[in-house]
Amino acid sequence: MVDEIINAFYDSEHHYGYDCVYTVDNAPQNDDEFKLHNHSDRYEIVLFLTGNAEFHIEGNIYQSHPHDIYIARPMEMHHNCFLSPERYSRVVIHIPLNFFADNHCTELERVFLDRTPGADCQIPARIVDREMYHLLMKMNTYIKDGAYDIAKYVFLEFLYLLNQIQEPLTTPVAADRHITNVLLYINEHIDSDLSLDGLSERFYINKYYLCRIFKKVTGYTVNHYINYKRLLLARGLHGRGQTLLEASTNAGFNSYAHFYRMYCKAFGTNPRSG
């Protein structure tokens, strides 16, 4: 039934500035394909259709149900954790950062920005099924028919409704409350001194325990996570016009040489060409 409804979602970025894709994994595994990741240059919307999975984002866990919607903004680390190899299907929409300005609708960006990292990321099916799911189906129909301008207007209506939600959204389960608090602090102070000893003292956590639980929750060591977030911030600042030296300094790197080495290691290219 799901395939019959959505089988023509496809890459439509060429037509109106964002892409919308329907994808299926018949036997998903918790491997590199679904490892913790982020999208530094775009927003992501996922309409969950089938499967047995949890959505993990910045130390919070959401149980997935058919027609739930998930949202993520740049620099929010997230991934799916599959509880069994049941068929996993979803619609994924990626929105470039300039989409809202280019379409003169920056107020619709608010749903991605006006929230704490990892919070208010799941719009439950009981809300989605009122109108938003049907708008996505209409958008798909227009895409199949080649009516791309009309499809974009339907998508803008979908984004409008996403921003109009007034009732409480799903409350996530914290993978570990201590680590959630540490993650929030790191994200709010990413350009400041974030030594392991300093974090341990601030949160009254033994640093060896902190390292072990942090890696278990995020998949990263503390230093790797901090460096990666700083790299993403520096890349974003550079994209908005700062020099690489300014961007690396404002992202919290103590030296340009350190930033350069970390960038090459993380992205496989140097920052001038990346």
Side-chain angles (χ1 to χ4, degrees):
M1 180 65 176
V2 168
D3 289 346
E4 293 173 1
I5 295 174
I6 314 181
N7 60 8
F9 271 111
Y10 65 100
D11 186 347
S12 51
E13 184 173 2
H14 175 72
H15 299 290
Y16 45 84
Y18 62 94
D19 63 87
C20 182
V21 183
Y22 171 54
T23 60
V24 175
D25 291 273
N26 287 315
Q29 302 292 326
N30 293 310
D31 54 19
D32 285 347
E33 182 180 358
F34 296 105
K35 69 180 180 180
L36 202 67
H37 64 283
N38 83 296
H39 308 284
S40 62
D41 59 348
R42 58 193 184 270
Y43 300 106
E44 183 176 60
I45 299 173
V46 177
L47 172 66
F48 182 87
L49 295 172
T50 63
N52 184 15
E54 296 173 337
F55 182 69
H56 293 210
I57 181 166
E58 294 294 350
N60 286 330
I61 299 173
Y62 297 88
Q63 178 65 50
S64 299
H65 310 91
H67 294 193
D68 286 347
I69 280 177
Y70 296 99
I71 61 174
R73 63 173 178 246
M75 293 185 66
E76 280 188 304
M77 303 295 288
H78 60 278
H79 74 133
N80 284 296
C81 179
F82 297 102
L83 307 180
S84 66
E86 294 179 28
R87 188 172 187 264
Y88 170 49
S89 61
R90 70 281 193 195
V91 173
V92 181
I93 302 173
H94 286 144
I95 310 171
L97 299 184
N98 61 351
F99 174 86
F100 297 97
D102 289 350
N103 288 278
H104 310 290
C105 58
T106 54
E107 70 279 2
L108 300 183
E109 198 171 9
R110 177 176 51 83
V111 69
F112 297 99
L113 301 177
D114 293 352
R115 57 183 180 79
T116 301
D120 294 332
C121 295
Q122 183 190 67
I123 296 87
R126 60 180 170 78
I127 297 176
V128 174
D129 282 344
R130 292 172 192 163
E131 293 184 71
M132 286 187 282
Y133 178 81
H134 303 290
L135 286 173
L136 290 178
M137 298 307 103
K138 285 178 63 177
M139 185 175 75
N140 180 51
T141 298
Y142 291 129
I143 290 173
K144 287 195 295 184
D145 292 343
Y148 304 117
D149 287 337
I150 299 175
K152 183 173 77 170
Y153 293 133
V154 174
F155 182 52
L156 290 173
E157 183 179 358
F158 167 84
L159 290 171
Y160 173 80
L161 292 179
L162 202 60
N163 277 270
Q164 295 303 306
I165 298 172
Q166 299 295 323
E167 59 197 278
L169 300 180
T170 305
T171 301
V173 175
D176 183 284
R177 178 55 59 189
H178 292 102
I179 300 305
T180 299
N181 291 335
V182 171
L183 287 167
L184 290 175
Y185 182 82
I186 289 174
N187 279 279
E188 291 171 359
H189 300 84
I190 194 63
D191 58 347
S192 305
D193 179 31
L194 292 171
S195 68
L196 179 58
D197 286 336
L199 292 172
S200 176
E201 291 176 8
R202 173 173 288 275
F203 291 97
Y204 305 102
I205 306 174
N206 177 278
K207 67 179 181 181
Y208 301 107
Y209 175 82
L210 172 60
C211 289
R212 181 168 58 84
I213 300 301
F214 194 96
K215 179 70 179 293
K216 180 180 179 181
V217 170
T218 70
Y220 288 82
T221 66
V222 176
N223 285 333
H224 187 185
Y225 179 90
I226 292 170
N227 281 328
Y228 189 63
K229 281 297 186 88
R230 285 175 171 166
L231 288 171
L232 295 174
L233 176 57
R235 188 160 66 174
L237 293 173
H238 180 56
R240 293 193 288 274
Q242 293 189 16
T243 68
L244 285 170
L245 178 59
E246 290 171 335
S248 62
T249 300
N250 291 332
F253 286 98
N254 293 325
S255 74
Y256 182 79
H258 181 220
F259 160 72
Y260 188 93
R261 288 195 303 272
M262 291 295 101
Y263 193 101
C264 293
K265 183 176 180 180
F267 302 122
T269 185
N270 71 69
R272 295 189 182 281
S273 61

